[in-house]
Amino acid sequence: MEAIRIENVSKVFGGKVTALDGLDLEIGAGELFFLLGASGCGKTTLLRCIAGLETPTDGRIFFGDTDVTELAPHKREAAMVFQSYALWPHLTVGQNIAFGLEERKVPKPEIKKRVTEALEMVQLGGYGERSIDQMSGGQQQRVSLARALVVKPRCLLLDEPLSNLDAQLRVEMRREIRRIVKENGLTGIYVTHDQEEALAMADRMAVLSWGKIGQVGTPEEVYRTPLNSYVAGFIGETNLIQGAVMEMHEGYCFVKVNGTTLVGKVTSADWQSKVGDAATLSVRPEVWRLHKEGGENEIDGKVVARSYLGQRIEYFIETVIGRQQVVEMNPRVIHEIGDEITLHARHGDVVVFGN
Ligand code: ATP
């Protein structure tokens, strides 16, 4: 188990592409930490710098108290699992797993024991003699996990490990990877595009934007109190509503939107706003309520589309502040297209930021 500290790390490719831009990050020992963000924001580059497969242009990387910035990959005790599995098709499952140990000149009986243990860990006990092409996609991903674990790493680095699997298997493997990280006391760093995967699995996550950190927090913190519209829009679905600052009061911002006033919580302490400044409100689809009694942030609207999804129903509702996506769980009343309804959202559930 190892804490990882990234200090002011930059990576510039070919003197002009800035993939990481003075990034600071601390990942706790034993944490399962996710890196998320739009394509090209630098997730894989950061993971590769931590693995030692890239050297930062600037900044330092520490594992515990050890500065590993210049250390070769195999000396870092970090193992990487790739989207492509990177298994050798001409070797058996056992030979694939043993490869890293043979390279390290581990004695044969020890290799045998550790390969057996690694196969047990990923619930593939007894599969050592099979050839790789007899294994399903999910099993191949387990083999690549076993190959990473067999070298007894202290950090497990995962780059989109589940993206080649079908939806059901992905959900199953989420639990499996989390179990493996926790049972083995590993620090796990996991890159994904899939925000649902991150919300379901992460202890904490960082949302990256253009090589910088947009926000770091637990899934709940990032989902419920995003610091800017990029993070709000990236993690989960949301209605982003543009307006102008009218007043700030005890951490709440009153925003004028097309003749109506909406109120929400300010999440970023850095936002120094003045009356008339542009403001963006973020209202999650499930934060809008549809009860007739009304409440805070009340807006009239008309149902223009709806999808019935079993235990929830999704509506699109046309209002003076724009078309709003609304999700109601376990609906008792189902509204029809054309129905006039009133939306409302609690001030404390709406967030406001300056960008
Ligand atoms: P994706 O989600 O699409 O995999 P990412 O967030 O992992 O993206 P990176 O692969 O880290 O992003 O790339 C960050 C930026 O650095 C991109 O602009 C990419 O084109 C550039 N980049 C990455 N590797 C190299 C390289 N070896 N040479 C030049 N540019 C690179």
Side-chain angles (χ1 to χ4, degrees):
M1 213 185 281
E2 199 80 281
I4 295 175
R5 200 165 80 248
I6 317 286
E7 274 185 14
N8 196 25
V9 163
S10 294
K11 178 70 187 177
V12 182
F13 288 106
K16 46 179 189 287
V17 180
T18 304
L20 300 174
D21 190 3
L23 194 141
D24 291 306
L25 187 62
E26 280 201 44
I27 297 166
E31 237 185 341
L32 181 51
F33 193 95
F34 273 64
L35 300 174
L36 283 139
S39 184
C41 70
K43 305 178 291 290
T44 298
T45 303
L46 179 57
L47 199 72
R48 288 174 61 82
C49 285
I50 296 169
L53 301 172
E54 299 284 359
T55 310
T57 315
D58 226 329
R60 314 302 308 170
I61 298 176
F62 294 86
F63 282 12
D65 292 329
T66 314
D67 184 340
V68 299
T69 318
E70 317 289 341
L71 206 63
H74 66 278
K75 293 195 175 145
R76 295 192 182 198
E77 300 183 77
M80 193 141 166
V81 177
F82 302 90
Q83 171 182 354
S84 62
Y85 314 148
L87 299 170
W88 285 283
H90 60 285
L91 300 182
T92 64
V93 166
Q95 286 166 338
N96 264 281
I97 298 171
F99 193 84
L101 298 179
E102 280 160 4
E103 267 195 323
R104 286 171 168 79
K105 310 258 182 284
V106 174
K108 280 236 152 32
E110 169 76 10
I111 292 182
K112 192 153 181 266
K113 181 168 151 276
R114 279 169 62 176
V115 167
T116 307
E117 279 169 10
L119 281 169
E120 296 289 341
M121 271 182 221
V122 300
Q123 296 179 339
L124 283 181
Y127 282 78
E129 300 305 316
R130 288 253 194 131
S131 76
I132 289 295
D133 56 16
Q134 288 174 335
M135 305 294 274
S136 69
Q139 287 172 328
Q140 289 192 23
Q141 189 53 292
R142 283 172 199 265
V143 175
S144 71
L145 273 165
R147 189 185 47 186
L149 294 168
V150 80
V151 299
K152 296 197 194 285
R154 290 198 281 180
C155 308
L156 190 61
L157 309 175
L158 303 128
D159 192 1
E160 305 253 6
L162 304 183
S163 51
N164 284 337
L165 303 179
D166 66 44
Q168 201 186 335
L169 205 52
R170 269 211 307 267
V171 172
E172 197 184 307
M173 285 301 287
R174 283 181 193 169
R175 279 194 289 272
E176 191 65 3
I177 290 180
R178 206 180 144 82
R179 176 188 70 76
I180 287 168
V181 168
K182 295 295 169 187
E183 279 182 7
N184 292 284
L186 299 167
T187 302
I189 309 182
Y190 192 123
V191 165
T192 185
H193 276 103
D194 185 340
Q195 33 120 343
E196 199 185 290
E197 203 162 279
L199 289 171
M201 293 176 71
D203 291 321
R204 287 193 311 145
M205 56 172 80
V207 183
L208 269 62
S209 160
W210 298 105
K212 289 181 190 283
I213 301 281
Q215 185 167 358
V216 177
T218 63
E220 194 181 330
E221 283 163 357
V222 174
Y223 186 81
R224 294 173 73 124
T225 53
L227 293 178
N228 52 53
S229 45
Y230 171 75
V231 173
F234 195 80
I235 303 292
E237 291 187 277
T238 197
N239 297 287
L240 294 173
I241 306 156
Q242 315 294 334
V245 174
M246 290 171 66
E247 189 190 334
M248 287 282 204
H249 186 67
E250 292 184 350
Y252 283 82
C253 186
F254 292 67
V255 183
K256 188 71 136 191
V257 186
N258 208 10
T260 298
T261 305
L262 296 174
V263 183
K265 235 174 16 184
V266 174
T267 50
S268 169
D270 300 337
W271 187 33
Q272 304 292 336
S273 68
K274 300 188 304 297
V275 173
D277 280 355
T280 303
L281 297 122
S282 163
V283 190
R284 299 282 185 200
E286 70 279 10
V287 161
W288 281 124
R289 316 240 168 130
L290 296 173
H291 307 299
K292 255 276 155 271
E293 313 86 76
E296 295 170 347
N297 287 322
E298 206 171 288
I299 299 283
D300 290 331
K302 187 190 253 187
V303 177
V304 290
R306 61 157 217 205
S307 324
Y308 180 72
L309 301 161
Q311 11 124 273
R312 67 182 204 277
I313 186 157
E314 181 183 71
Y315 295 105
F316 283 91
I317 297 178
E318 205 58 64
T319 73
V320 289
I321 59 163
R323 184 171 289 202
Q324 300 298 301
Q325 183 189 4
V326 177
V327 167
E328 220 184 8
M329 302 303 291
N330 305 313
R332 275 174 293 153
V333 181
I334 296 178
H335 300 284
E336 302 295 332
I337 291 173
D339 280 1
E340 308 265 351
I341 54 176
T342 304
L343 297 179
H344 60 95
R346 286 171 39 196
H347 295 167
D349 293 337
V350 174
V351 296
V352 185
F353 16 72
N355 57 0

